[in-house]
Amino acid sequence: MNTEAPIIEVEGVVAHYGQREVLKGIDLAVDDGEIMVIMGGSGSGKSTLLNHLLGLLRPSRGTVRLLGRDINRLPAMELLELRRRMGVAFQSGALFSSLTVAENILLPLREHTDLDEHTMAIIARLKLEVVSLSGFGDLMPAELSGGMVKRAALARAIVMDPKLLFCDEPTAGLDPVVSSSIDQLILRLRDALGMTIVVVTHDLDSAFRIADRICVLEEGRVIAIGSKDEIRSSGSERVQNLLNRRSKEVTLDPDAYLRRLFGEG
Ligand code: ADP
Ligand code: MG
């Protein structure tokens, strides 16, 4: 189906926190226009892997290539250039509480472009429309519901029309209806804008709605990777255990997860 080189290539990535090895040789390739979902229990290494894909952490061994370039060997200018082609929607939304929604969305444009105010305002309006937040640009983040915060974070992530979009737990803490609408939005971004998307999630329903392929992590290793059908029919007991853990996931505390993600817990 796809003859081009993978957009993301992870080879033999090993990562440590101090002496402790938390990624134990990860291999992963994501194709152009694909939605790859990274799934796994708490502590399996999902966020650590995501931070390596973003170049925020450096592997102790192995390589991460994005758009054909080794992100740990790029000169600073080229890394900046590459970052412009990547959008990230963090789990918390990470919106600035003192800025309006529209101002939050404009931040990457202010940082990376010389566009005039009028043009930026038009782009912000268009992106708000894409995520179904038309008319909400003048609100403050505190005035938004959980689902709207996730949408606004997605709008900011796509404001530079990135080739690559990364989403950390885009549906965590949302009710099923809102989760489903976020999933539809992610699918639309891929279909309409041709993005390649990596989603880290605990949410099995969401994973199986959006994924082209699913990568299952356990204790820092990829224990399965394949299409939804391949994962569903996996003969691996460990994969089946993960798929059957649905009821436990519902009780997971997203705030505790967040505190851990930002190292405050
Ligand atoms: P997940 O996102 O799948 O829950 P993480 O990537 O956050 O998993 O964590 C993988 C392992 O690394 C866990 O055992 C976690 O406790 C540990 N870990 C995560 N972040 C740090 C850190 N900053 N310092 C030390 N250990 C960490
Ligand atoms: Mg995590």
Side-chain angles (χ1 to χ4, degrees):
M1 186 182 104
N2 196 319
T3 54
E4 285 171 40
I7 298 288
I8 301 174
E9 290 172 280
V10 177
E11 271 176 21
V13 163
V14 173
H16 292 80
Y17 289 113
Q19 295 294 310
R20 190 153 154 253
E21 192 178 70
V22 292
L23 296 181
K24 301 173 180 170
I26 302 281
D27 294 309
L28 176 67
V30 183
D31 292 327
D32 197 0
E34 181 172 47
I35 300 180
M36 173 68 78
V37 171
I38 298 174
M39 244 171 55
S42 188
S44 57
K46 301 182 300 296
S47 296
T48 304
L49 177 57
L50 183 67
N51 284 329
H52 279 82
L53 297 181
L54 297 172
L56 297 175
L57 292 176
R58 230 170 221 278
S60 351
R61 253 185 296 140
T63 54
V64 176
R65 273 194 300 277
L66 298 184
L67 306 171
R69 276 163 297 178
D70 181 340
I71 56 168
N72 293 300
R73 282 162 195 269
L74 273 185
M77 283 307 289
E78 283 179 49
L79 185 60
L80 191 66
E81 188 60 40
L82 187 61
R83 285 239 162 88
R84 281 180 199 168
R85 306 181 66 194
M86 298 160 56
V88 189
F90 290 102
Q91 177 178 8
S92 61
L95 300 177
F96 288 93
S97 58
S98 59
L99 300 179
T100 66
V101 171
E103 284 162 352
N104 265 286
I105 290 169
L106 288 179
L107 280 179
L109 293 177
R110 290 199 197 286
E111 190 181 339
H112 294 298
T113 74
D114 300 319
L115 295 172
D116 61 78
E117 289 296 322
H118 180 66
T119 308
M120 287 199 290
I122 291 173
I123 295 175
R125 213 177 309 139
L126 286 174
K127 298 301 171 182
L128 282 166
E129 224 168 84
V130 171
V131 301
S132 308
L133 283 181
S134 294
F136 293 98
D138 292 334
L139 294 190
M140 303 306 283
E143 297 175 281
L144 302 182
S145 68
M148 290 161 88
V149 168
K150 299 282 197 189
R151 285 174 189 282
L154 274 168
R156 188 173 62 188
I158 62 167
V159 76
M160 297 280 293
D161 293 322
K163 176 77 201 142
L164 265 169
L165 176 64
F166 299 88
C167 305
D168 197 2
E169 302 280 359
T171 58
L174 303 179
D175 69 57
V177 174
V178 180
S179 290
S180 165
S181 75
I182 297 278
D183 290 336
Q184 297 309 317
L185 172 57
I186 289 172
L187 286 168
R188 201 144 41 90
L189 291 176
R190 192 273 306 276
D191 293 342
L193 305 173
M195 291 177 190
T196 302
I197 305 179
V198 176
V199 177
V200 166
T201 190
H202 267 94
D203 180 340
L204 289 168
D205 292 323
S206 168
F208 279 92
R209 269 197 297 263
I210 62 179
D212 292 309
R213 284 193 298 153
I214 295 174
C215 166
V216 183
L217 287 190
E218 189 181 273
E219 294 178 6
R221 289 198 174 84
V222 175
I223 60 165
I225 183 163
S227 67
K228 288 180 270 200
D229 285 343
E230 285 166 338
I231 296 297
R232 262 196 215 99
S233 61
S234 164
S236 157
E237 194 183 328
R238 293 176 298 166
V239 172
Q240 290 303 329
N241 283 343
L242 186 79
L243 299 185
N244 292 324
R245 240 189 16 191
R246 196 168 301 247
S247 50
K248 245 196 261 170
E249 295 295 338
V250 174
T251 61
L252 196 110
D253 177 6
D255 288 324
Y257 171 85
L258 240 191
R259 283 195 298 276
R260 209 160 44 77
L261 190 68
F262 290 107
E264 294 158 21

